[in-house]
Amino acid sequence: MSNESIYNCDGVRDRLALLLYGELSFDEEERVELHVDSCANCRAALARQKAVHAAIDSVEVTASPALLARCREEFFETLHMQESALSHAVGAHASEREPERDAAGESWWSQFLSSFDLKWNAHWNTTWMRPAGALALLAIGFIAARLTPTSFLNGGAGANYSAMDLAHLGPDQIRNVQADASGRVNIVINQNTQRTVSGNLQDAMIRNLLVAAAKQSSDPGLRAETVTILVNGAGLADVRDALVFALENDQNTVVRWRAMEGLKSYTHDPSVQTALAQVLLQDMNPGMRTQAIDLLTPETGPAMNRQVVGVLQQMVSREDDAYVRQRAQKMLEAVRASAGVY
Amino acid sequence: MVKSNSRVVRSEAHADETALIRAAQAGDREAFEQLVRAYDHSILRLAMNMLRSPEDARDVYQETFLRVYRNLGNFRFDCSFHTWIYRIATNICLDLLRKRKVRKEESPVLMTPEGTVDRFESVADPSAELDPQRHLLSGQIRTRVKDALAELSPRERMVFEMRHYEGLRLRNIGEVLGTTEEAAKNCLFRATQKMRVALGDFV
């Protein structure tokens, strides 16, 4: 590496925070790490930056379940009042001028939403823009095809990577993950050089990379993004296992929350029920505990895991948060299990 | 070697959400409520961290979901629903923060029926009680962090909040705020510099 590509101390210190957030480019990261390895002062500066991050973590706040419940209640009440008022006003208007809408059985809600479209269309007649838009899309497609790096065009994960390469990946060598609207995932890997592998969640290799990032990356942002992508494949057993792992073990609330959201359609799975029970017993965040109870609701009746019932009984006697305790009590009533005896 | 599957994969979760949005756009009230419940915890947490006030967070919640309700028909799937809803919530938070800056109304104390309480201490922070490491951080450092956060510009605060606490990548933050990844990166850089300077004596 040439001398001009190595940062001096000022250049390195300016980038330490972005290094910790995983937001430096591959080249920048290489330069910073190269310097830090050989400079004791900058190693100390990196340790101080980590301490700053820890201090900032210490003032994070969470919304209490009671506040969330109150917000929901207020909002749906407001919504109901608005709908009623609208229904009244539109009803009188519609009975005079638009009987066909009533005949079609369209809801007031639907009419309300469509009224915005009608307003927009009335003010902006966009028909003339359609041919121009089509031409613009063609031009964008042509330019994008010329500019897209070949690594994105050369097919699946295996086109650039072998299984042996993957076996030697360290926890932080996966630097970025990104999914497009079609479900295709791009994974940026630092291993001697930076490479991008692409594929979808049906590729076992892509899944393995994502699972490794979700479990091992030290960057909570990357873990959160990876879990968000994995949620799309929660029907696959190995993906579900990774989500369960994140729900039970991740230190970051956002990651655990997204993993739990991804598992909400799989509460029939005993491992998911067990993980939700762990959340109820151990998660520090009362919002997580409340959501865990909400997710277990469909499992009422004989399908509910006995372990979960046991946990709910503990919640009734031990839980500090009144709202969560009340929810646990209601759940137990729903499964017709006494809070004292099951 | 794994060959890429050329078939477009619409994941179950993604398809579920798309179906919910389309149903809500078509007037299905239950689908709309499910969408609200899927996102409201995140929005409330964002508002709490941004504004550090339960009453302001409640206002943000109400206003965000009323705007979602009113504009759902205009959502055209040209960005993710997550980005769209965050864009609405962050605009409302930014407006409130800017008003506070102008009015300088962010008093450290809050009047409640139970008496005067510290605005920052009036919100739940259960993790601080249970994580022994956090006990080691002195009250002085916590106060300094809170002061430093309050001194950031509204945009710096928003970018910092979304990156540090919400874990969003700069690319997504740029999308949410309607700017470039580079601009979001510069904003984050300025915010982290200010935080480092503010905490310089303590770490």
Side-chain angles (χ1 to χ4, degrees):
Chain A
M1 185 175 284
S2 61
N3 282 337
E4 60 270 21
S5 65
I6 301 173
Y7 292 134
N8 59 22
C9 290
D10 287 341
V12 166
R13 288 175 199 186
D14 280 348
R15 291 171 172 83
L16 290 177
L18 293 175
L19 175 77
L20 293 181
Y21 285 127
E23 295 285 2
L24 290 180
S25 70
F26 178 77
D27 285 347
E28 285 177 309
E29 197 173 297
E30 281 291 297
R31 293 181 196 183
V32 170
E33 285 176 351
L34 196 67
H35 180 100
V36 167
D37 282 348
S38 62
C39 174
N41 287 338
C42 286
R43 273 202 301 281
L46 180 59
R48 282 197 299 278
Q49 188 64 48
K50 285 179 180 172
V52 168
H53 276 227
I56 295 165
D57 284 342
S58 74
V59 300
E60 182 178 8
V61 291
T62 56
S64 69
L67 179 64
L68 180 64
R70 191 170 163 193
C71 286
R72 280 180 179 169
E73 194 181 331
E74 285 173 353
F75 172 66
F76 288 119
E77 209 169 276
T78 307
L79 199 57
H80 179 71
M81 282 164 57
Q82 288 207 356
E83 282 181 321
S84 299
L86 188 72
S87 166
H88 198 70
V90 176
H93 181 70
S95 62
E96 291 169 16
R97 299 183 58 183
E98 291 189 283
E100 67 279 9
R101 273 189 182 268
D102 282 340
E106 192 176 5
S107 70
W108 300 120
W109 154 258
S110 175
Q111 290 178 40
F112 179 70
L113 290 178
S114 63
S115 69
F116 290 97
D117 289 342
L118 290 172
K119 272 187 196 167
W120 174 262
N121 289 336
H123 288 297
W124 302 92
N125 184 344
T126 56
T127 309
W128 63 272
M129 292 173 70
R130 288 176 190 167
L135 278 173
L137 284 173
L138 276 174
I140 290 166
F142 177 77
I143 293 165
R146 295 292 299 269
L147 296 179
T148 302
T150 51
S151 62
F152 286 86
L153 302 174
N154 61 5
N160 268 341
Y161 247 72
S162 71
M164 189 168 287
D165 287 330
L166 292 176
H168 295 99
L169 279 181
D172 283 323
Q173 283 182 291
I174 298 173
R175 300 301 305 158
N176 195 17
V177 297
Q178 185 180 1
D180 62 26
S182 72
R184 190 170 182 79
V185 182
N186 295 318
I187 303 173
V188 178
I189 296 169
N190 283 1
Q191 194 178 43
N192 302 324
T193 57
Q194 188 169 71
R195 287 188 278 185
T196 299
V197 293
S198 305
N200 59 44
L201 281 172
Q202 291 196 335
D203 288 343
M205 192 177 284
I206 291 291
R207 285 206 306 279
N208 288 341
L209 286 169
L210 292 173
V211 167
K215 287 185 175 178
Q216 297 170 14
S217 173
S218 61
D219 174 8
L222 181 69
R223 295 201 304 276
E225 198 145 331
T226 306
V227 164
T228 303
I229 294 171
L230 284 173
V231 161
N232 297 335
L236 300 160
D238 53 347
V239 172
R240 202 153 63 241
D241 286 347
L243 294 176
V244 165
F245 180 88
L247 177 59
E248 289 180 333
N249 298 291
D250 205 288
Q251 296 297 307
N252 184 283
T253 309
V254 175
V255 177
R256 295 200 306 281
W257 180 266
R258 290 185 186 176
M260 184 159 63
E261 284 289 298
L263 292 167
K264 67 183 177 187
S265 302
Y266 301 94
T267 51
H268 56 276
D269 182 331
S271 69
V272 174
Q273 287 188 19
T274 303
L276 291 172
Q278 289 301 310
V279 170
L280 289 175
L281 274 183
Q282 294 175 2
D283 202 293
M284 296 184 299
N285 187 309
M288 289 285 298
R289 300 199 296 273
T290 309
Q291 182 72 352
I293 291 179
D294 285 346
L295 291 186
L296 285 167
T297 302
E299 294 300 318
T300 51
M304 179 174 274
N305 187 330
R306 285 180 72 92
Q307 184 193 354
V308 177
V309 175
V311 168
L312 289 175
Q313 287 174 324
Q314 290 185 53
M315 300 287 291
V316 169
S317 56
R318 304 187 351 188
E319 172 64 41
D320 293 333
D321 188 285
Y323 183 84
V324 178
R325 198 167 57 240
Q326 191 182 28
R327 299 281 310 183
Q329 178 74 50
K330 281 189 178 170
M331 282 287 293
L332 283 172
E333 285 165 7
V335 294
R336 295 180 184 170
S338 149
V341 183
Y342 178 72
Chain B
M1 185 174 286
V2 177
K3 195 170 182 181
S4 167
N5 189 335
S6 59
R7 187 169 62 87
V8 172
V9 174
R10 301 286 292 184
S11 67
E12 281 178 41
H14 188 74
D16 281 354
E17 182 171 276
T18 302
L20 270 182
I21 296 165
R22 291 200 190 285
Q25 286 178 325
D28 184 334
R29 172 67 184 268
E30 197 176 316
F32 177 71
E33 289 194 14
Q34 278 190 54
L35 284 172
V36 172
R37 288 174 196 279
Y39 284 95
D40 65 354
H41 183 272
S42 303
I43 297 300
L44 192 59
R45 186 181 56 229
L46 175 76
M48 279 294 257
N49 275 295
M50 281 298 298
L51 302 162
R52 305 265 162 178
S53 149
E55 68 270 32
D56 283 348
R58 270 169 64 197
D59 289 346
V60 170
Y61 181 107
Q62 297 295 320
E63 187 60 26
T64 298
F65 289 104
L66 278 173
R67 286 192 198 176
V68 168
Y69 172 78
R70 288 172 184 147
N71 294 293
L72 192 60
N74 295 330
F75 179 66
R76 296 282 181 258
F77 297 91
D78 45 12
C79 64
S80 75
F81 193 66
H82 175 271
T83 297
W84 187 71
I85 208 164
Y86 261 65
R87 198 175 286 160
I88 292 171
T90 52
N91 276 332
I92 296 166
C93 286
L94 279 171
D95 283 347
L96 272 174
L97 280 174
R98 285 176 184 136
K99 281 176 191 163
R100 274 189 189 174
K101 288 272 176 194
V102 172
R103 294 177 191 164
K104 298 195 182 301
E105 68 175 16
E106 193 167 17
S107 162
V109 294
L110 185 69
M111 297 304 291
T112 72
E114 291 78 33
T116 305
V117 294
D118 185 308
R119 189 181 284 274
F120 289 122
E121 303 305 336
S122 66
V123 289
D125 185 7
S127 53
E129 293 164 15
L130 297 173
D131 186 341
Q133 275 190 325
R134 295 188 176 188
H135 280 300
L136 298 176
L137 289 162
S138 73
Q140 253 186 325
I141 294 182
R142 288 169 60 84
T143 304
R144 184 70 73 92
V145 173
K146 291 166 186 170
D147 290 347
L149 282 171
E151 285 301 312
L152 297 178
S153 76
R155 280 178 74 82
E156 289 165 355
R157 179 79 181 270
M158 184 59 77
V159 169
F160 186 79
E161 173 67 31
M162 285 195 281
R163 186 63 189 88
H164 194 95
Y165 294 125
E166 295 292 311
L168 294 185
R169 303 310 296 257
L170 287 172
R171 186 184 64 253
N172 299 126
I173 295 171
E175 274 180 2
V176 167
L177 296 178
T179 186
T180 62
E181 180 178 349
E182 197 56 32
K185 191 176 188 174
N186 290 336
C187 221
L188 178 66
F189 175 75
R190 287 196 304 277
T192 55
Q193 291 283 79
K194 288 180 183 177
M195 297 300 290
R196 196 176 71 185
V197 169
L199 290 166
D201 306 340
F202 289 94
V203 295

